[in-house]
Amino acid sequence: SQTIHQWPATLVQPVGSPLSLECTVEGTSNPNLYWYRQAAGRGLQLLFYSVGIGQISSEVPQNLSASRPQDRQFILSSKKLLLSDSGFYLCAWSLLAGNEQFFGPGTRLTVL
Amino acid sequence: GEDVEQSLFLSVREGDSSVINCTYTDSSSTYLYWYKQEPGAGLQLLTYIFSNMDMKQDQRLTVLLNKKDKHLSLRIADTQTGDSAIYFCAASNYGGSQGNLIFGKGTKLSVKP
């Protein structure tokens, strides 16, 4: 069966510090991968998605970036965090575009 | 592009039925999904319906789709306190650039004992 992992589960970082969040998927090959942010207003904001290694599509201009160094690994990064980067970051995968997405447990990021 | 709308809050008493409504704009959406999010957790896929279906039932969950009105609903029978969560509606969007699933903002269901 397929599983999706995210770490860390929680993170508290000062403004201006770097960020690296990791997401890995097991039990499937060549998944579509997604990063979402969920702020206090609860809605999901799609940040990045990837259809293959090295292929990243960005949905919202910001100081975050994403990379996919391996088929089942998706990394969200920032060189310098802003207060507004605080939120709940969710990684998800799907087999095909438009099909159901399966979500990881999330990372709670607090920028102070 | 596709837009998905939901009411933000719903409060019911334990044992009653809950009905969560959702509207979407793109009539070409092939799949429509319901997700549940418990506090501090990721989204869990509850059920989905294909656009050529009107209804799908899965134990306490019933999904109704009115394709003409682009209206989707999720009915939870015999609602329990463990059903308290945020419920997201999502529509597939194959031709769009937004990662191919468009989510509503979520409906927070509160179940009172």
Side-chain angles (χ1 to χ4, degrees), chain B residues 74-94:
Chain B
L74 174 70
R75 178 177 180 270
I76 306 173
D78 187 24
T79 312
Q80 303 297 307
T81 54
D83 295 323
S84 293
I86 300 175
Y87 291 81
F88 290 91
C89 169
S92 63
N93 183 32
Y94 291 99

Side-chain angles (χ1 to χ4, degrees), chain B residues 4-68:
Chain B
V4 177
E5 299 282 343
Q6 301 177 241
S7 53
L8 295 183
F9 300 98
L10 177 65
S11 180
V12 301
R13 291 215 169 271
E14 192 173 19
D16 289 349
S17 292
S18 308
V19 180
I20 303 171
N21 294 301
C22 170
T23 58
Y24 59 100
T25 57
D26 188 350
S27 58
S28 66
S29 290
T30 308
Y31 289 96
L32 297 133
Y33 303 91
W34 284 104
Y35 286 84
K36 176 184 180 182
Q37 185 183 33
E38 297 184 357
L43 276 67
Q44 173 193 359
L45 178 66
L46 279 180
T47 187
Y48 66 92
I49 190 166
F50 190 55
S51 60
N52 68 353
M53 298 168 66
D54 298 323
M55 184 181 84
K56 181 179 181 180
Q57 188 158 2
D58 183 2
Q59 299 182 333
R60 291 191 298 122
L61 304 179
T62 302
V63 179
L64 295 177
L65 174 62
N66 182 327
K67 197 172 179 185
K68 174 176 169 291

Side-chain angles (χ1 to χ4, degrees), chain A residues 48-99:
Chain A
F48 301 95
Y49 70 97
S50 170
V51 299
I53 295 174
Q55 300 179 63
I56 309 293
S57 296
S58 173
E59 290 299 311
V60 182
Q62 57 214 327
N63 71 322
L64 299 172
S65 62
S67 61
R68 185 169 176 175
Q70 299 179 43
D71 181 43
R72 288 167 288 179
Q73 184 185 31
F74 205 22
I75 297 172
L76 183 69
S77 303
S78 174
K79 292 181 180 177
K80 287 186 178 182
L81 283 168
L82 306 173
L83 286 174
S84 58
D85 291 323
S86 293
F88 192 48
Y89 287 82
L90 289 159
C91 181
W93 72 273
S94 70
L95 272 179
L96 296 170
N99 280 25

